[in-house]
Amino acid sequence: MSTIQEYDLLITGGLVVTMNPGLDLIEEGYLLVRNGRIIEIGPRSQLRPAIAAKRVLDAGEKLVMPGLINAHTHAPMALFRGIADDRELMDWLANYIFPAEATAVTPDFVDWGTRLACWEMIRSGTTTFADMYFFEDTMADAAAQAGMRALLSQGIAEGPTPDSATAADGLARAEAFIAKWKGHPLIYPAVGPHSAYACKPSTLLRAKQIADQCAVPLLIHLAESQSENRLIQEQYHTTPVRHLGKLGLLDKNLVAAHCVWIDEEEIEMLYRHDVGIVHCPQSNMKLGSGIAPVPHFLKLGIKLGLGTDSPASNNRLNMVSEISAVAKLHKAAALDPTVVTAQQSIAMATMGAARALGMADEIGSLEVGKRADIVVVTLDEPNALPLYDIYSHMAYALESSNIETVIIDGRVVMENQVMMTLDTEAIRVQARQIKTKILGSLSVPHKGH
Amino acid sequence: MSTIQEYDLLITGGLVVTMNPGLDLIEEGYLLVRNGRIIEIGPRSQLRPAIAAKRVLDAGEKLVMPGLINAHTHAPMALFRGIADDRELMDWLANYIFPAEATAVTPDFVDWGTRLACWEMIRSGTTTFADMYFFEDTMADAAAQAGMRALLSQGIAEGPTPDSATAADGLARAEAFIAKWKGHPLIYPAVGPHSAYACKPSTLLRAKQIADQCAVPLLIHLAESQSENRLIQEQYHTTPVRHLGKLGLLDKNLVAAHCVWIDEEEIEMLYRHDVGIVHCPQSNMKLGSGIAPVPHFLKLGIKLGLGTDSPASNNRLNMVSEISAVAKLHKAAALDPTVVTAQQSIAMATMGAARALGMADEIGSLEVGKRADIVVVTLDEPNALPLYDIYSHMAYALESSNIETVIIDGRVVMENQVMMTLDTEAIRVQARQIKTKILGSLSVPHKGH
């Protein structure tokens, strides 16, 4: 007689989309979870009888997939959602977002903004997010309490930011932040110099040094808009990618968001140095920034993730919507429906993002040994009926409202659309109060409540 | 003492977005409905006391907006959702969709496909849809039973279609269909010759004659893809728009879907003849068909609606998602975030669509005398918090899952997300059964359940 083992969670039934290297689909599957990790995965017919799990979840007739990864955002900016839309990136940043941040961004703002963002992300199937913002320590507390996995980088820029009078202050905060959170099961610290235009070379070099010494990723915005490229051209007589290359920042620990305005030689450089790229289609579209050469990235096999960017530029934190947008955007741009397939789009939000963020051993697919970050999706809603091709379904038909249950690190954080880790009513009240305060202190045009 | 009148429905409170000519917003509004029409609308402070309504709906803290209009679709194709994605339009049509239609499309298919589509459309805030398909009489029955408003056109093409051996049969069906449904409060009949490439000039002329005689709109696909333009060039040595112009089809009753591949002179022609255009951004994107010159249409003031196109090419029937996509697509294409604003995008799905379909006196805005097609939206979900600008919110932040209650012609068809007119469980069962039958009779590649 075999020993009956004790598991934390057993998920049975359902169509399991593994996103493992063989892209295996399991028609009626099961997953066993212990200590936050997937211990077994396979067809339910192979599940031994008399398995004792603390918790059993029936996923029959449902879809079971890896948690989605939002590989680039500024989560607390959920509190700025819609504050000044339909404006060009540099105008939007310089005349609306930076002044709003200077006035409004406090630890309290970051705390409630992060809770609001985690609510929206969990609700739409995201289990990990990568972030660059301020008061990152407050953010880490809020994300960990929400039960979310997060790669968090303390934001660094010249001149005063909401939490630092100088870049040196920001760099010091980054060091302290890493020291405090390194080794946490959910929070992965990183360094986040804003960009080549908002940080001097000396600041970028010091940020890189900290990242290297602490063995954490370096997150940066790169070649997002034509205005950024013009600024770098004026100041350094080169392009943003080459500028970082000269400084020695291009390596496998660099996670570069956007990479819209880069030429073929630069794409090769990023590939050769094993840089991770995060594509943010809907933010790039909404800001009119441009269309990144994603088919080219895919052809080379660059580590490529997908992100929403900030909820002030998107204006959602919904990776289901982002997956759908990325496939369609590049078909439209290339006049070719075969570029950026449904499957490739889903990969960008799962394994591709995990690779880009240096987390491929931990997340991005449903495989034995990986963290148990799992999403259960109903196929009973009208938009999900009927089902012919599961990848087409996931990329083009599903909506975030189809997501029923979300598990992070083996813990059920949303069950049947009920949030288990967040006080949603308190977040509602605070979001509205903070917005009223922001409107009182700024001259932002607004229409509505 | 004033006479107390009897009303069917009173909606009180909430932020009312009228989309009337002055784009009035009413912070705390009320609407009174009788016999399917809006009788009064205004600030709640002006509501007389002791109003007796059969039904009172509290919209406090919510958004009240006009029902959305899906101005171009083929609703029953919901049953083909995802059947063969990531393929070019003409390949997709000729090698997958047309063969699937030849085998699968029966009155039963159209009946259940329409029910499924109405469920998805109501669920996502659509109250009117314009359609071109087959067995249109069956479709009208199903739509009317679902309580939806629909502009339905019997599809016409050369050679055999699912319901007609010849174009002449299709034309005869169209005449009979119009005679039967003209004057129905929810169903507005029309004529639907497929396109200039699928219909001979004589067929187009006869369709136009029927439309003129019966005073109904003529719906057509126009200049959707480069392959369409090549076909017309080969056969008629001109462009699709000029071809229709020569035939005398361009007038205020023509509703032309797509208009992607048209030059400036053709845009002027369509404007001068007061043709309505329906833009389908996500279908055009997904099929790699191209990007319609929407900023140009808007500058001229062309009657411009928005549509999902078929759920086989989208793959959703979700106008909330379409509004978001249209704003972003054209900003990306123009590298300019000021083109196609949030407000313009919402207008395309409300008053713009109503104008394009010739229904501007009936629907498209919340105004006294218009049909009571009203959507109530919760602002309590995380993606809807906080609210700064109502139009930005509607275009970029809201999701279809925020829609709570839908009223069509004064009748509540969805209340707190519960469908009142459709047997959803029966639709689920039928959708899955019909899909299994289709897969059995076709050699379509498929992955999943």
Side-chain angles (χ1 to χ4, degrees), chain B residues 92-159:
Chain B
W92 178 76
L93 284 178
N95 300 316
Y96 297 89
I97 295 300
F98 291 159
E101 284 184 337
T103 318
V105 177
T106 61
D108 195 55
F109 175 100
V110 168
D111 182 17
W112 289 105
T114 303
R115 288 167 200 258
L116 174 60
C118 286
W119 178 14
E120 185 182 359
M121 286 193 276
I122 292 171
R123 183 67 200 77
S124 49
T126 293
T127 54
T128 296
F129 69 103
D131 199 277
M132 306 170 72
Y133 212 59
F134 308 107
F135 301 108
E136 210 69 18
D137 191 52
T138 303
M139 195 157 162
D141 273 326
Q145 277 174 38
M148 275 204 86
R149 193 178 308 286
L151 177 70
L152 302 181
S153 66
Q154 167 67 39
I156 297 156
E158 304 304 325

Side-chain angles (χ1 to χ4, degrees), chain B residues 46-341:
Chain B
Q46 292 173 17
L47 177 61
R48 286 148 297 137
I51 284 286
K54 286 180 195 139
R55 180 89 194 256
V56 179
L57 216 141
D58 179 7
E61 304 296 311
K62 298 183 200 295
L63 164 66
V64 180
M65 65 179 202
L68 301 176
I69 301 168
N70 185 349
H72 177 71
T73 188
H74 316 281
M77 294 180 79
L79 293 170
F80 290 139
R81 187 196 310 278
I83 201 169
D85 284 323
D86 298 346
R87 288 177 174 86
E88 192 272 335
L89 175 67
M90 290 296 173
D91 169 37
W92 178 76
L93 284 178
N95 300 316
Y96 297 89
I97 295 300
F98 291 159
E101 284 184 337
T103 318
V105 177
T106 61
D108 195 55
F109 175 100
V110 168
D111 182 17
W112 289 105
T114 303
R115 288 167 200 258
L116 174 60
C118 286
W119 178 14
E120 185 182 359
M121 286 193 276
I122 292 171
R123 183 67 200 77
S124 49
T126 293
T127 54
T128 296
F129 69 103
D131 199 277
M132 306 170 72
Y133 212 59
F134 308 107
F135 301 108
E136 210 69 18
D137 191 52
T138 303
M139 195 157 162
D141 273 326
Q145 277 174 38
M148 275 204 86
R149 193 178 308 286
L151 177 70
L152 302 181
S153 66
Q154 167 67 39
I156 297 156
E158 304 304 325
T161 68
D163 66 7
S164 302
T166 64
D169 291 350
L171 289 160
R173 289 186 80 99
E175 277 195 276
F177 175 69
I178 296 165
K180 178 165 173 191
W181 289 95
K182 192 109 202 265
H184 189 279
L186 289 173
I187 305 301
Y188 301 63
V191 186
H194 183 277
S195 59
Y197 63 91
C199 295
K200 288 194 247 176
S202 57
T203 303
L204 294 175
L205 286 170
R206 177 66 189 130
K208 163 76 173 150
Q209 201 176 38
I210 295 170
D212 285 348
Q213 279 164 357
C214 304
V216 300
L218 191 80
L219 275 53
I220 199 164
H221 297 94
L222 186 60
E224 179 177 2
S225 69
Q226 286 179 298
S227 356
E228 171 178 342
N229 283 38
R230 272 195 298 272
L231 283 173
I232 298 297
Q233 190 65 44
E234 281 164 22
Q235 208 163 357
Y236 304 106
H237 313 291
T238 186
T239 63
V241 174
R242 290 185 180 88
H243 178 61
L244 293 196
K246 275 182 217 159
L247 292 172
L249 261 72
L250 304 183
D251 68 17
K252 69 178 175 48
N253 291 322
L254 186 69
V255 183
H258 304 303
C259 299
V260 174
W261 295 97
I262 66 176
D263 62 33
E264 289 207 16
E265 193 182 277
E266 289 173 309
I267 299 175
E268 287 284 345
M269 278 172 72
L270 295 181
Y271 174 65
R272 223 170 40 241
H273 287 97
D274 204 20
V275 171
I277 294 180
V278 182
H279 175 46
C280 302
Q282 295 199 84
S283 173
N284 293 163
M285 292 171 83
K286 180 161 164 288
L287 292 168
S289 301
I291 301 174
V294 166
H296 199 135
F297 298 159
L298 288 170
K299 204 175 288 170
L300 277 182
I302 284 180
K303 301 183 302 189
L304 182 62
L306 199 63
T308 57
D309 204 348
S310 109
S313 68
N314 187 298
N315 294 348
R316 300 185 191 115
L317 291 165
N318 179 338
M319 289 300 296
V320 176
S321 166
E322 220 60 40
I323 290 169
S324 175
V326 72
K328 291 174 193 157
L329 171 63
H330 297 285
K331 293 175 197 302
L335 294 178
D336 179 356
T338 67
V339 300
V340 189
T341 63

